[in-house]
Structures are given as C-alpha cells and as structure tokens.
Amino acid sequence: MASHVSASAYSATSSALYQSTIASTGIQRETFADRLEQTKNWLYNAEENLIMGRSAFDWLFYIAGIIVFLCALVGMSAAFCAIFYWVIDWNDPTLQGPSSILQVPGMGFRPQPDVSSTLIRFIKGDATTYYHYLDHIESYIQYYEYTLKQGDNFKDCIDEHKRRTKELDKVCVFEVEQLGGSCVKQQNYGFDDGQPCILLKLNRDPATRENMGEILIFPEGGFHFKYFPFRNQQGYRSPIAFLRFENPHPGILLMMTCKAYARNIIHDHVERLGQVSFEVLVD
Amino acid sequence: MAKKPGLSELKTELELDEHMITIEELCARYDIESIDQGLTSEQAKEHLTRYGKNQLTPPKTTPMWVKFLRTMFTGFALLLWLGSALCFLAYFISLLETEKGETDNLGLGLVLMAVVIITGLFTFYQESKSSSIMESFKHLVPQNAVVIRNGEVQNIDTKEIVVGDIVKVKFGDAVPADLRIIESHGFKVDNSSLTGESEPQSRSSEYTHKNPLETKNLAFFSTNAVEGTATGICILTGDRTVMGRIAGLASGLESGVALFLGIGFGIIAFALGYSWIKAIVFLIGIIVANVPEGLLATVTVCLTLTAKRMAHKNCLVKNLEAVETLGSTSTICSDKTGTLTQNRMTVAHMWFDNEIWEADTSEQQLRGNEFTKHKGWEPLSRVAMLCNRAAFIGGQENVPILKRECNGDASEVALLKCVELTVGNVSEVQKANPKLVEIPFNSANKFQVSIHHLEDGTVLLVMKGAPERILERCITFVDKSGNHPINQSFIDSFDAAYLDLGGRGERVLGFADKVLKHPFTPNFAYDADDPNFPLTELRFVGLMALIDPPRAAVPDAVEKCRSAGIKVIMVTGDHPITAHAIAKGVGIITPFCMTKEEVAELKGIPVAEVDQQDVKAIVVQGEELKEMSPEQLDFTLQHHQEIVFARTSPQQKLIIVEGCQRAGAIVAVTGDGVNDSPALKQADIGVAMGIAGSDVSKQAADMILLDDNFASIVLGVEEGRLIFDNLKKSIAYTLTSNIPEITPFLLFIVLSIPLPLGVVCILFIDLGTDMYPAISLAYEGSELDIMKRRPRNAKTDKLVNERLISLAYGMIGFMQAATGFFMYFVIMAENGFYMKKLVGLRQMWDAVAINDLQDSYGQEWTYSQRKKLEQTCYTSFFVSIVIVQWADLIISKTRRLSVFTHGMRNWVLNSALVFETILALLIVYLPFMSYLKVRYLRAEYWFLPMPWSLLLFTYDECRRYVLRLHPLGFMERETYY
C-alpha cells in the first residue's frame, strides 16, 4: 500500500527534517561562551536581581522553608519515637517467648580473639602461637571470678538440682570451680600439651532450659537449667562449660559443631540455631 | 528509501516496453476497446484474479519472537539478566565450597529473572498493542482512485485497480499504480520516494527515453502528482510496480546499540572492598532503585491510550510523539474554508419588506425561520426556486436536506436548500412551472434569467444576479402593501442593506421578476442566444446573502484556545472582508479588539493617524505580506493579538509559519492542498484534513482531522497536555520511593547501623508494588485548569524539573524515609536493640563469628538470629514504604487541585491501590518467601505506618491549598512541577 511505503520513507527522513527545521528557525546550537554567559546569569541576574535563580527574599523564604520542614519532620519523628519509648518496657524486651527470634538460644565459644574467624590454630608447645588464646580465655574466666557474688539478688545454687520455681529474680551464682581441674590457667588450658580446652557458653536468653545432652565437657552435666531464665538480673553470668580435646591429631583441621540439647532447642543447619561451629588446628 | 546500489540494479533489471509501444498496441495488449470506455467490470475482475490486488506485500516485519527477545535482552533488562546470572554463579560457588549453598543468592537470582521476564512480557504486550493501533490507523485513511470502467467514471479503492484500467490522476493525488500517460494537462510528479529527486518532473504522453525511469510517459506508483491532471493506462500493479521491486530490494539493516555499563560497576565493586558478587548485587539494587522502571511502560500506555482517545475524537495521529508536541502548541495557523467553516454556502440573510431577515446557518438548522411568515417572502422564494439550475441528485429522499448531494454551483445549491427547507418540494414546483427558456449566468451580464409557464397559465420571467445590476433593470418593487414604483427612499434603503450585508462578508444576490404579457405566451419561440423578450422594467423582489458559515463547535474551541494561551491565526485565500467577518464570527477577532480601519472609523480620523497602541487586531492581505521584510512580519506577529491573513497563497503560509517559529512559538498548521505541504512539514505539528485534504498533504502531516473540524485540534492539544501532565505525575510518584530506598544504604554507611532495607525488598517495591500504580496514573483524567494554563515552553519546561525533584525527593521522599526508619527502630527496640545501641554496631552485627552480641537488655544474639531480625526490619521497611506509597499515589493524582474536588474516579488507579496491597501481603506471607530474606511480620506492624501515610496526605493537601490560594506565589514557584 502506498501509504505504508511512504510512511516508512518518512520516518527515515524525519530526523533530517527536524534538523533542517531547527536550522530554519534560526535557533543555533549554543556555544561555550553562551553557556558561560548563562551560568553567569544564573549565578547573578542583575536584571531581575536574582541570585542563582531566586531573589534574596525568596532565598530567605526558601531556607526558612527547608528549616521549618526539617524541624517539623524531625519533630514528628521524635514525637512518634517518644511515644514509642514511653510505651516500651525498659526492663523486659517487648517480644518474649514464642514471638521472640531468641526463642531458640544461641551458643558461643572462647577463645575467639579475632571476631572475624572461628579457627583456633596453634603449634603445640610454642607459646607464641597461642598466648593470645590463653589471654582471651583468662579474661573471660576473670569476668566470672572477680565479680560481686553477694547481695540481695544472688543465690547460692550449689544444692539446687531441679528447675527453679521460686525467686526467679535472683541470680544463681556460677562458680568457676564447677569447670573442674583439667582446664585451668596453671596448665595453660591444655594448650601446652596440645590438648586445648575450648570454652562453650550458652547465650543469655529468656527461655527456660531442659536437661543438657551428653557431651564430654566440664562441668559434667553441661549447662544446668538452674541458671535460667535470664531476666536481665544484675550480675547475671551465662553458664559456661569447657570442652577439652584429649588427643587432637596434629596438622588435621578439626571442624567442630557443638549443639545444645533441650526440649525447646531445634536445630537447623541453614539458620544455625542452637549450635556453634569452630575449627581447631593443632600443628 | 531508494538506495543507490538498489537503483542501479533496478535500472538493469527493469525490462519494460509499455512506454515504447503505441497506445493502440497497449490497448490491444490489455483488451481495451476504447480509452473512453475503459475495461468492463468482468475484465477488471478477471485481471484482479490474474494479477492480484494493487498493494505492496508489506515488508517482512520482524518476527514476533525476535521482537520479544529484543525487549527481553536490551538495555536495562540485560543488566538485570547479568545480575541474575551472577547470583546463580554465587550460589553454585557456595554450593561447591560448603555443599549446602547460600539460598538467598539463589532466591535473588530467581527474583531478578522473574522481574526481567514479567516486565519484558508487559513491555512487549504494550508495544505490540500500540503498534497494532498505529497499523489500524493506516487503514483508516482511505486511498481512492478515479478510473474509467464500463464507460463510467468510478471512484474505487486503489487496491482494486488492475492492469489495463484507465486511471485519472489530478494534482494532490498519489499515483495509484504504474501508469502509461495517454493524456495530460500540465502534469508534474514528485518522484522523490522513488529516485530521491525532489524537483517535480513533468509527465506527458510522449515517449522520450528508453529507460522507464526517465521517459516522460510513465508515472510510477507511490509518487505524488503535484500539478496538473493526467489520464493513463495502468501497466503494472502491486509488487510488480517499480516501487514494489525497490521495496523488495531494500534490506533491513538493524543495529541495536546496547548501552552497557557492567565493567564500570565491577571496578567500583572492588574499590568498595566487598566480595565481588555481593558488591554487584548491591549496586544492581541501587541502580534498580534509581531507574524509574515503570516509566517506559507508562509512556507507552499513555501514548496508546491517547491515540485511541484521539481517534475516537476524529484525530488521527501519525506518530505518537506528535501528541506530546501538540500539548505545547502555542500558535495554531488555521485554514478558513472547511476547517473553521462548514465548507458549504448557506443563505444567511435576506432583505425584503425593507427589513433584513436572518436565516439559520447552524449545521443542523433546527430553528424555525421567522421570515417565512411574511408576505414579501413569497415572491422572493418563487424566484429563488425557479431561477435555479441546481438539483438534488436522485434517490436521497431519506437523507436530511442539508446532507443531500446536489449538482450545481455552490450558491445555487445554497438557495435550493434554503427554499427546500422553508417552502419544500422545489422539484415539484419546478416541474409544475416548466422552464421555457434560460440564460445562464455569465460574468459580462452578471445575471441569470429564465422564463416559466406557471400553473395558472401566466408566463413569468425570473432573474437573479449582482444586486446593482438587477436594480438597474427594475422599475417597481414589492413590499407588504403591494407593488410600488422605485423611488429614492427605496434606493437608499437598498443601498444601506446591500452595504450592511456586504460588510458581513456575505455574497449578496438580487432577485427580480416580471409577468410577461402577450405576445409572450408559452408557445412563443424564445431565443436565449439573442434575447427576443424584455429584460428590463422588472419588479424587484429582494436580496439574499450567502456565506460559508462557521462550524458550531469552532467559537468554543477558539475561546478554549485563548484561555489556554494559544494564539489562533486565520490564513485564508478569501477576500479580506469575508475573512474578517468569519474571524469575528468564530471569535478569532473579538469585539473589543479593533483593526486599524475600525479604530479610524470609530474615532473619525484617517487610518494613517491611528495610534498603534489601540490596534490589537489586524487583517493582513497577501499583497502586503509579499512586500514585508522578515522584521516587519515579526513585528506584525508580535504586536497584534488577533491576526487574520487574507488573500494569501499557500506559499505565504510557509512564511507565516516560519515567522511564528522565529518568535519562539510551537506552531500547528492546518492544510489541505498540495501546496500546503511545505508549511505542514515546516510546522511543529502539521494537520491535514481527512475529507478535503489531498494525499500529499496527508503524507506531510503529523495528524489528520477525519472530520476537518478545527475543534478537533483543540481536543488534540488537550490530550497532548494531559499526556505531559500524567507522565509528570507518574514520574513524581515513582521517584519518591527512591529516597526511602537509598537512605537505608546511606545511614548503613554513615551511622554504621545494621542495614534497614535489603536489595530484594527494593526490587519488590520498584518492580512489584510500584509498577502498576505508576502506570495507573496514565489513566488519570485532566485537571480543570488544563486548558487555562499557558502553553508549555518546550525548551525550558522539561518533564522532570527541579521543582518535581524537590517535591518528590525533598519532601515526600524524606517523609517516607522517616516512616521506614521509625518502623526499623520500633522493630529493633521491641526485639531488644535501642536506637543508641544500633549506631556504630554494623561491624559487630555483620561479623559471622560473633554469636553472643549483647542487646540493650543484655540478651545475646547469634549471627543467624541477628540476620533474622535484620530481615524482619527489611520486611517492615518494605511494608511501610508500600503504605506511605498509598498516600503518595493519591497525592500524585493532582498537581494543583485538591483530591476532594478532583475525585477518585480513576478506577485503574483505585484497583492499583488494592493490587499493591495484595501483592505486599503475598510477598510477606507466602510460605517460601523466607528464602528471599522476607520474614513473617506481626499484623500490628502494618498499622504503625498508617498515621504517617495520613500525615503525608494532609501535608500535601495543605501544600496544594497554599498553592491555590496564592497563584504564582512562593509555593508555586518552588513546588509546582
């Protein structure tokens, strides 16, 4: 059809036509001098007394407008936040129990002087390769040893063997002695003999605990449920346990995954719930 | 179109002898009995089956699947594909390393892929829809040709032309097939579509060259006739035409330029120190957040919708972008005849009984005509009926009188229709009072006379013509009280009436009659060539004045243009008085604007002494225009608000258009003739007439008015403005959410807080929940002020200006970001991390090895628990953006009006609100979404952002209230986009 062909011929020439139109209207491509002039004019337009496109009065208005707007916005946000922080409980997290992400507690381990790595690597007998591990364990143990253990909110739990039902606001004192005699500072936590002790800790968590699983750890019996629940008590110390490698094979990377067992602890590899992983390499 | 190698190839290939043989041989070849008779319809039918239809096989269009792949794998889509591929790669690498791969990379990869495919499908659907609409437009413009078949002149579809047809071509037509010229009158063709030569070439019946392209006696398909007329025998049709062969030779050379920035991003990624895969995913997120993905789809939807609406309003847009230009039109140069007027002479006034009577000139003529009750009408209508050579073409009894086709001169048709409407049964009356003799009108006599044998037996002579000539021949006149001899007072009142009607730009005719006495009986041998009967001492019966009246819709349309700041200039070949009268009639010249002559008359001073300040309107004659220098023309155009150009030639139209463009105007020009095409091409928008327009003008135009009505242009302007407005609104809406998408990244870096919003959620917003609402703004109706604003300055007023940015980013965007952060801090605090604790926490938070990070309550968090919390924050941030975008969508509906006055009638938009919410619910609550870092969200978190949404809405309503309260005030200067 005629119109079809000519229409396509047309689109091919339309840009050329446009160019010629521009040329015939006498509108010329702006030169650098033109742009410089425009910029100058933008910076200060003497004719209309405009500085950067606005009159002095407008600038005043503009800046005031921005300030008012920002103040109002910050004020509104602050008001909303104030209401929120007024409503929120400062002692107990709002989300507890089933609605909390912390429903399943996590586990940590020491020594971990470098937070970006989970590898514990040292040469048996060469103290220069593991003294920083020792320091790290030591400082953590001290956190348990040299703190206040007396007072209204402390309770001696040596004789407790069952789930606590009363005085939940009091802290069960965690005695370092419970960690046994094999993993002590005097023996450099077994690192000298190539039998390193790794400290496991169960995260502070509002949940209650059931019986702990069968792991060769000190204290025997693992984390006792008497230390739970954590209710943001003053002086609370998470239960800890030492794990001792009796005879790690030199030069072999040991990839450890420690799981805490309790009725309410589910394990999920992807989400790394209720477990901690680290690697030990004794050279 | 014609490429050089193609042309040379063609020259060797073309083996025609039709131009060399004699016409008799040619006729014999096609079994044509005689040139006058043409083919019989049987022969035509047979040829049609043998050679097929006279149309080019459409050039092989790109197959659908190629087009589809093109939308899928170009530009932005390519980037998303790359991102998706990298995510998969990252997943497989992690799969090899740890046996159990990182599922979030897999998820992100899948999301990106889904996004590309869905947006690709949508764009493809929209594009094919709009191109099919454009395709249908092409078929709307009928292509007709005049052929001789069975000895009759027939108007047929060009597709039906067959070899051997005798085809008549006149200037302005496109040559419908390859023709051997057998007869021509000053015939010239424009072969530019075939050979690239733009100079018109004359064509005649002589054989001048062996080469078919150069011989004078061939005219080719798809070329245009620009001057004269010709008759030719069709020798080739359809694909066998010369043009058809060239079209076949021209092969498509498509080269898509893919803009690719991947390498640049790779370098930045390493510089930032992230793992390369993470960095690229990160950057894809930022790019996605900043590119208004919905915009392309919105533009296509806008244009498609508009094209549909325009076609509905009888505007046919040839290229969609023209609609947008139309919106910024600031000057319309319009033809008079047919565009502003109805293009049919109509009786507007008559004068009898010493009084001027007005006749109804509207298109429908429903008003009763008062004058018919008066006594003086009877003799006048009798003369008008009898002294008339025009007649209705038979078989139109059911057609309204005004629409009936007639034979005869335009003035006579006007008289015929006038009396048919008022008295009726003209042909019966004519039959009952047979014509005995007739002297037709000629320019020497300036009258027309006929003698009739009346029913009552008398013989009546009736005469009409130039009023002064008629009056010369009269001795008596008739009024209510009977016949009187002509005296001075009658002559005075006649002069006054004649001057009055003439001053209205009307063509005035005088009427007279005389009852003939013996010997002029019905049997008398009347001689028309040498009149042997009296032509003087007649009785004057009255005057009738005719005009081509304005179209009913035009005055409103002109008024609309004026309020929209569009200058309407009338350009016509008519007499200045007629032009001035019509300009006044349609409002191009308003009662308060006076021309130099009018001012002079009013003040009683000579024209030369008129103060230029008083003159607002001007009627420029073609002669004056010819004398003007460009500077003088510029002065004329700029210093008069209301301008009429009269007695102009089409070439001068081009000069006028250029003058307007020099003044910085965006000019729309109407035109119908061949000679109008330079002006149509020069104009920013060329508008051709669908009914009266020539093929050439239709080709040169950007837009075709199917009903030839000026009012349709104004509707087009309105549509053009609407498109621009809606695009702005859509952009303002889409851009706003960029701020709440970018700020989390910024604060993540600056304040070292855990990341509040992840990449996947940004993708969900930009390519999911924001998409449909952004497109729905294309369906938004126009605001009330759309035709009351000044036209957009196409050079300075851009689609996206700093006011739009300052509103979308600076105000609404920041409020949205505040909402998101509020939600982030709420979720964090409710889980144990207070705002104070979060600042500076990023490194600890993101350390995989730290599994006992303490929160504000002393609870200890493992890495995976923290990430779970972080993803809950992403989700709530996402939900809060969705909820504040509700308000943003509603405030984006209007730029000035309150939503309460504008209404919520855009149901596409309303459904978009619902869609957006449902999509967000699905994203949050579908079971497998945790793989995409989206977490289950407690129901109350959906309600927390709602007060913010309300606040946002209230803020913008207040802003627009201030805007309306102080037009052109500070608020408008700073925030009206």
Side-chain angles (χ1 to χ4, degrees), chain B residues 513-524:
Chain B
D513 64 1
K514 182 186 176 73
V515 179
L516 296 183
K517 299 277 158 55
H518 192 77
F520 303 106
T521 59
N523 304 322
F524 181 81

Side-chain angles (χ1 to χ4, degrees), chain A residues 208-262:
Chain A
T208 49
R209 297 283 169 268
E210 282 300 316
N211 195 23
M212 282 297 155
E214 307 258 319
I215 301 175
L216 183 62
I217 44 173
F218 307 98
E220 289 173 26
F223 308 117
H224 199 277
F225 52 69
K226 64 189 175 189
Y227 300 105
F228 295 95
F230 165 66
R231 286 205 168 169
N232 206 16
Q233 302 100 326
Q234 281 289 306
Y236 179 89
R237 296 288 176 271
S238 300
I240 51 175
F242 267 122
L243 176 74
R244 183 176 164 115
F245 293 86
E246 287 298 320
N247 191 17
H249 205 287
I252 300 289
L253 182 70
L254 302 171
M255 293 178 63
M256 299 299 300
T257 298
C258 296
K259 295 181 181 180
Y261 286 88

Side-chain angles (χ1 to χ4, degrees), chain B residues 381-396:
Chain B
S381 62
R382 185 170 65 180
V383 179
M385 242 186 282
L386 296 177
C387 188
N388 199 328
R389 283 152 53 95
F392 291 112
I393 293 171
Q396 298 187 90

